Amino acid sequence: VECADEQKGELIASEDRLCQACSPRTQEICQHPFEHGAYHVWKCRYCCNPATFLCYGNVHFCKPCHDRNPNAQAIPCVGGACCTFPKPKGQTTHSNGSSRECEQLYYCAWCESSSSRDAFAQNESTGSRNFIVNPSGEEGTRGWRPILDRWGQSEMWQVENMELRVDQHTQTNFVSSYSWASMMQTVPLHEYVRDPSSVQIEVSAKFMGRSDCPSLFFMQTVVKDSNGRILHRVGTSQLSAPAGFWEKATLTIDPVIGAHEVSMIVYGKDSFRLQGLSLLSPCFV
């Protein structure tokens, strides 16, 4: 009750009557304070450490200060470069103590990650980062799923140790069967780019065959909207896998309006139905 609070000399300032989302301290830092509340990182009121407790509705504590409460004492900020936590605008030290002026929102993890994703989308060069999980089978087939045929069956790519190295770091590759092996992986573009409709997508893979059996390979890329509708589909022709060296296949998709996710689909088999000899490593989106 406001009058009772004022009679007791508490919550005099109008800002103390605001929830954290409505507080100017929050809105200066976070673009969407109501939606992002769970991602806010506050300063402890009594020291510079990030807070892990919220008590009395508007008092933030780190664990050591919380354990000392109600006898918590202010720990002075060392200031300047010696204190690495964000300072209030125009200040070189934090205010620590019992006063409400010692409350500070350090940052919003959601807003900062969104800014990072935007910066990546604008500044990263093509091929500098791969969004495919487990691109060379280093973790088995984790992240990949088979493509079922009309009878509900599938032949999944397997994994083997790499004999002819594609680079100095990769040690495994996928290997197909004598019949068409297939697998796909979907990359949620909306988790990395604020506007997936604005980006060009490059999908690529390196493939080869062994010298004792000709092999075939082809690749498809499918772009879908948020409702799972196909907006764009493109694929390579059936490619003869070269024996003894790695060849690269690349598909480039110009910006697609409404894009939400992109799926990479790869197929491979040998030409004579003898044994699995189409090799694949690594895959990139």
Side-chain angles (χ1 to χ4, degrees), residues 1 32 34 51 62 70 79 106 134 144 148-149 154 161 171 200 212 224 232 234 239 241 248 260 268 281-282:
V1 179
H32 304 281
F34 289 96
C62 65
Y106 275 156
N134 186 27
W144 297 92
L148 301 180
D149 61 23
S154 66
N161 291 326
Q171 299 182 357
Q200 185 183 71
D212 53 351
K224 295 182 179 180
H232 185 77
V234 65
L239 304 173
K248 183 178 181 180
H260 188 73
S281 180

Side-chain angles (χ1 to χ4, degrees), residues 126-182:
T126 301
S128 58
R129 181 176 174 184
N130 188 10
F131 292 102
I132 286 290
V133 174
N134 186 27
S136 301
E138 56 269 32
E139 299 178 68
T141 56
R142 186 180 76 85
W144 297 92
R145 63 183 181 87
I147 306 296
L148 301 180
D149 61 23
R150 58 183 175 177
W151 296 283
Q153 299 178 341
S154 66
E155 187 74 44
M156 184 70 170
W157 290 76
Q158 303 300 315
V159 177
E160 66 178 13
N161 291 326
M162 183 173 288
E163 295 181 2
L164 180 62
R165 301 293 291 271
V166 67
D167 57 45
Q168 60 180 339
H169 304 293
T170 306
Q171 299 182 357
T172 55
N173 58 254
F174 297 106
V175 57
S176 68
S177 178
Y178 59 83
S179 59
W180 282 111
S182 62

Side-chain angles (χ1 to χ4, degrees), residues 186-206:
T186 298
V187 174
L189 295 175
H190 61 282
E191 293 187 5
Y192 305 109
V193 184
R194 177 165 293 179
D195 181 13
S197 300
S198 66
V199 297
Q200 185 183 71
I201 305 166
E202 180 182 291
V203 180
S204 66
K206 290 188 176 181

Side-chain angles (χ1 to χ4, degrees), residues 6-20:
E6 291 183 5
Q7 288 174 0
K8 294 180 180 179
E10 298 175 352
L11 302 177
I12 300 300
S14 60
E15 186 179 334
D16 279 336
R17 299 190 182 95
L18 299 177
C19 69
Q20 293 182 65

Side-chain angles (χ1 to χ4, degrees), residues 33-225:
F34 289 96
E35 297 87 345
H36 297 178
Y39 298 91
H40 291 169
V41 178
W42 287 81
K43 184 185 82 68
C44 173
R45 183 176 284 203
Y46 288 86
C47 71
C48 302
N49 290 326
T52 53
F53 292 87
L54 174 62
C55 302
Y56 316 120
N58 62 359
V59 181
H60 290 88
F61 291 96
C62 65
K63 189 177 187 307
C65 290
H66 183 268
D67 291 344
R68 290 193 294 269
N69 188 50
N71 299 313
Q73 299 293 320
I75 300 175
C77 175
V78 294
C82 295
C83 177
T84 58
F85 297 108
K87 314 294 191 305
K89 187 175 181 179
Q91 298 185 26
T92 58
T93 61
H94 296 106
S95 298
N96 298 332
S98 59
S99 168
R100 66 179 180 85
E101 299 299 329
C102 301
E103 289 286 325
Q104 180 188 344
L105 177 61
Y106 275 156
Y107 62 89
C108 171
W110 181 277
C111 291
E112 291 208 349
S113 64
S114 297
S115 299
S116 298
R117 289 195 293 269
D118 289 345
F120 166 75
Q122 296 171 10
N123 299 326
E124 291 277 349
S125 58
T126 301
S128 58
R129 181 176 174 184
N130 188 10
F131 292 102
I132 286 290
V133 174
N134 186 27
S136 301
E138 56 269 32
E139 299 178 68
T141 56
R142 186 180 76 85
W144 297 92
R145 63 183 181 87
I147 306 296
L148 301 180
D149 61 23
R150 58 183 175 177
W151 296 283
Q153 299 178 341
S154 66
E155 187 74 44
M156 184 70 170
W157 290 76
Q158 303 300 315
V159 177
E160 66 178 13
N161 291 326
M162 183 173 288
E163 295 181 2
L164 180 62
R165 301 293 291 271
V166 67
D167 57 45
Q168 60 180 339
H169 304 293
T170 306
Q171 299 182 357
T172 55
N173 58 254
F174 297 106
V175 57
S176 68
S177 178
Y178 59 83
S179 59
W180 282 111
S182 62
M183 62 182 182
M184 71 175 292
Q185 185 172 148
T186 298
V187 174
L189 295 175
H190 61 282
E191 293 187 5
Y192 305 109
V193 184
R194 177 165 293 179
D195 181 13
S197 300
S198 66
V199 297
Q200 185 183 71
I201 305 166
E202 180 182 291
V203 180
S204 66
K206 290 188 176 181
F207 64 100
M208 66 173 288
R210 295 198 179 103
S211 59
D212 53 351
C213 183
S215 304
L216 298 174
F217 169 83
F218 77 95
M219 177 174 67
Q220 290 183 331
T221 299
V222 177
V223 180
K224 295 182 179 180
D225 66 12

